[in-house]
């Protein structure tokens, strides 16, 4: 099913994001995690595209396996990194052949050995170009990324928003946000986006914190702020992994409750391939 149709219906659309594991054991674990989360009846799941297209095959294989064997709609993330337009076209042809319907089109993060993003000759420099390319030849339902706290490379929030609006103009049918921990950032971004003429669903990306160290690293990479009250609670939990997990689950649940009241179209959970935290947040929100 096309994901844009899901957002057009009433009721929160809940999605879970996974990345393709490196090892066979990781793969087996992931299939178990997804089967575990299937009981929650997610609207769809998504599978990331590794840096430099390194997971190309695995992403597409996992998406088709989730759809065909587990029976959940799945979306493939897809990036410009390290590929020419012809190579991207070959991947898109392949995805079409195997029945993928939904693509999250991104510029992508640079590979670890590169400090900044450099398009390959004959490739694309930005997500809007990729989206326009996809829409020119294929019939995928396409989403894009957006940044409540502004993309870290953007010279200004206004410029970032202008580029975001262009993604929608050229064909993005929904936008999923980068992770954020302070809903005020989402509300303010959404308001500006609506004023800029962006009418498509803007879906909050939520990551329940499970490790203080990891979240500090990820937040700084993504340009996301950790609000002082959350920082204090995490500091109070110290090295106690259980307490940290509880803090993360409580924070994400409160965040989602307020977002639901605000009327968001759904949530996209960054699961980091683990189910317990996301499952607990989901159950706190939706268990009858
Ligand atoms: P763009 O929209 O191209 O924006 C990148 C920067 O360029 C921004 O600063 C923007 O303001 C600027 N810009 C945009 N268009 C133009 C233009 N036309 N001219 C000049 N400047 C412009 N990364 C992966 O590698 N694999 C994944 O699977 C993946 N999944 C993600 C899922 C979500 C929901 C999100 C939010 C991010 C994901 N990322 C993933 C990370 C993403 O690739 C990075 O954040 C990347 O740095 C930017 O990608 P983008 O698609 O937003 O790029």
């Amino acid at each position: 099913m096309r994901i844009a149709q899901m957002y057009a219906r009433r009721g929160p659309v809940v999605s879970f994001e996974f990345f393709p594991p490196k090892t066979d054991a990781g793969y087996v674990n992931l299939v178990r995690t997804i089967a575990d989360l299937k009981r929650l009846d997610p609207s769809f799941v998504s599978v990331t595209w590794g840096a430099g297209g390194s997971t190309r095959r695995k992403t597409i294989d996992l998406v088709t396996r989730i759809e065909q064997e587990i029976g959940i709609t799945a979306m493939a993330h897809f990036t410009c990194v390290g590929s020419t337009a012809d190579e991207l076209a070959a991947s898109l042809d392949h995805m079409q052949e195997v029945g993928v319907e939904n693509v999250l089109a991104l510029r992508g993060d640079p590979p670890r050995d590169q400090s900044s993003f450099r398009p390959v000759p004959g490739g694309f420099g930005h997500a809007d170009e990729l989206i326009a390319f996809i829409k020119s030849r294929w019939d995928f339902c396409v989403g894009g990324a957006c940044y409540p706290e502004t993309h870290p490379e953007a010279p200004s929030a206004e410029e970032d928003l202008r580029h975001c609006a262009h993604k929608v103009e050229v064909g993005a049918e929904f936008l999923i946000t980068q992770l954020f921990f302070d809903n005020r950032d989402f509300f303010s971004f959404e308001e500006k986006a609506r004023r800029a003429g962006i009418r498509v669903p803007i879906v909050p990306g939520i990551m329940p914190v499970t490790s203080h160290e990891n979240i500090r690293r990820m937040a700084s990479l993504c340009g996301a702020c950790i609000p002082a009250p959350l920082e204090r609670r995490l500091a109070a939990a110290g090295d106690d992994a259980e307490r940290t997990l509880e803090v993360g689950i409580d924070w994400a649940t409160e965040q989602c409750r307020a977002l639901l009241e605000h009327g968001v179209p759904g949530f996209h959970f960054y699961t980091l391939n683990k189910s317990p935290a996301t499952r607990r947040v989901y159950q706190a929100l939706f268990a009858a």
Side-chain angles (χ1 to χ4, degrees), residues 30-164:
L30 179 59
V31 170
R32 203 176 299 137
T33 298
I34 298 174
D36 188 24
L37 287 173
K38 189 193 173 181
R39 283 186 266 142
L40 303 178
D41 198 20
S43 309
F44 70 94
V45 301
S46 77
V47 183
T48 64
W49 192 262
S54 53
T55 65
R56 188 173 302 154
R57 279 275 154 197
K58 283 185 179 169
T59 299
I60 300 173
D61 287 351
L62 197 52
V63 163
T64 48
R65 205 171 153 194
I66 292 168
E67 294 214 320
Q68 289 161 14
E69 293 177 23
I70 308 183
I72 311 176
T73 298
M75 169 169 78
H77 296 209
F78 189 59
T79 78
C80 315
V81 183
S83 302
T84 62
D86 287 346
E87 288 162 347
L88 294 167
S91 291
L92 289 160
D93 283 340
H94 175 54
M95 285 201 265
Q96 186 170 267
E97 271 160 34
V98 297
V100 174
E101 273 186 297
N102 300 289
V103 172
L104 187 69
L106 304 142
R107 185 199 71 179
D109 279 326
R112 278 184 207 283
D113 58 343
Q114 285 174 24
S115 57
S116 62
F117 179 84
R118 288 195 300 271
V120 296
F124 300 119
H126 292 289
D128 54 358
E129 296 169 55
L130 179 65
I131 293 169
F133 180 64
I134 297 174
K135 284 292 179 180
S136 71
R137 283 175 40 191
W138 293 268
D139 183 31
F140 294 107
C141 173
V142 177
C146 64
Y147 301 84
E149 295 172 80
T150 307
H151 185 268
E153 292 164 38
S156 69
E158 292 70 28
E159 200 158 316
D160 202 30
L161 187 59
R162 214 159 35 78
H163 296 309
C164 184

Side-chain angles (χ1 to χ4, degrees), residues 148-186:
E149 295 172 80
T150 307
H151 185 268
E153 292 164 38
S156 69
E158 292 70 28
E159 200 158 316
D160 202 30
L161 187 59
R162 214 159 35 78
H163 296 309
C164 184
H166 193 236
K167 288 189 212 190
V168 175
E169 279 162 34
V170 297
E173 294 161 74
F174 56 92
L175 295 168
I176 300 181
T177 77
Q178 182 59 278
L179 59 93
F180 61 93
F181 298 103
D182 187 335
N183 285 352
R184 287 173 301 183
D185 292 319
F186 177 86

